[in-house]
Amino acid sequence: MAKLSQDDLLAQFEEMTLIELSEFVKAFEEKFDVTAAAAVAVAGPGAPAAGAEAVEEQDEFDVILEGAGDKKIQVIKVVRELTSLGLKEAKDLVDGTPKPVLEKVAKEAAEKAAESLKAAGASVTVK
């Protein structure tokens, strides 16, 4: 049997239907005890590019409390207003900074919450 070049093999694959190609892949996997999962890994490097596009169109933001500042009690009050936390939970959140106060909220809500926390003396990051 003559050895086929890559171009010859690709030409043969082009002539196959999807069903025939699928059956060939299954037979190839069984014959050589391999899986076609490696082909998915090859497509993996393309995924970060898609993720970068998603960052540009981000519609959900996290408000992260970095520090309470000098007015810790005021910050606790604002945290309680923004969330449904009780006094102890809000205090624990403020004491355990950096911690997220709000997660996956709209941009407007995140900016408003950040402004409220900054007005109370806290340092905040919106991601």
Side-chain angles (χ1 to χ4, degrees), residues 55-75:
V55 171
E56 294 173 12
E57 301 173 10
Q58 182 177 0
D59 61 349
E60 292 182 339
F61 296 85
D62 295 341
V63 179
I64 302 181
L65 180 65
E66 299 292 335
D70 295 336
K71 302 177 183 176
K72 185 174 168 182
I73 294 172
Q74 295 298 343
V75 174

Side-chain angles (χ1 to χ4, degrees), residues 21-52:
L21 191 56
S22 174
E23 291 171 355
F24 169 77
V25 170
K26 287 178 187 175
F28 187 90
E29 288 175 342
E30 289 174 10
K31 171 82 175 174
F32 295 103
D33 194 27
V34 294
T35 62
V40 175
V42 172

Side-chain angles (χ1 to χ4, degrees), residues 94-126:
V94 171
D95 287 340
T97 57
K99 291 253 181 156
V101 176
L102 298 173
E103 294 178 313
K104 297 182 181 178
V105 295
K107 184 176 183 178
E108 297 80 26
E111 289 174 350
K112 186 176 177 182
E115 288 175 22
S116 298
L117 287 165
K118 286 178 184 176
S123 56
V124 181
T125 304
V126 177

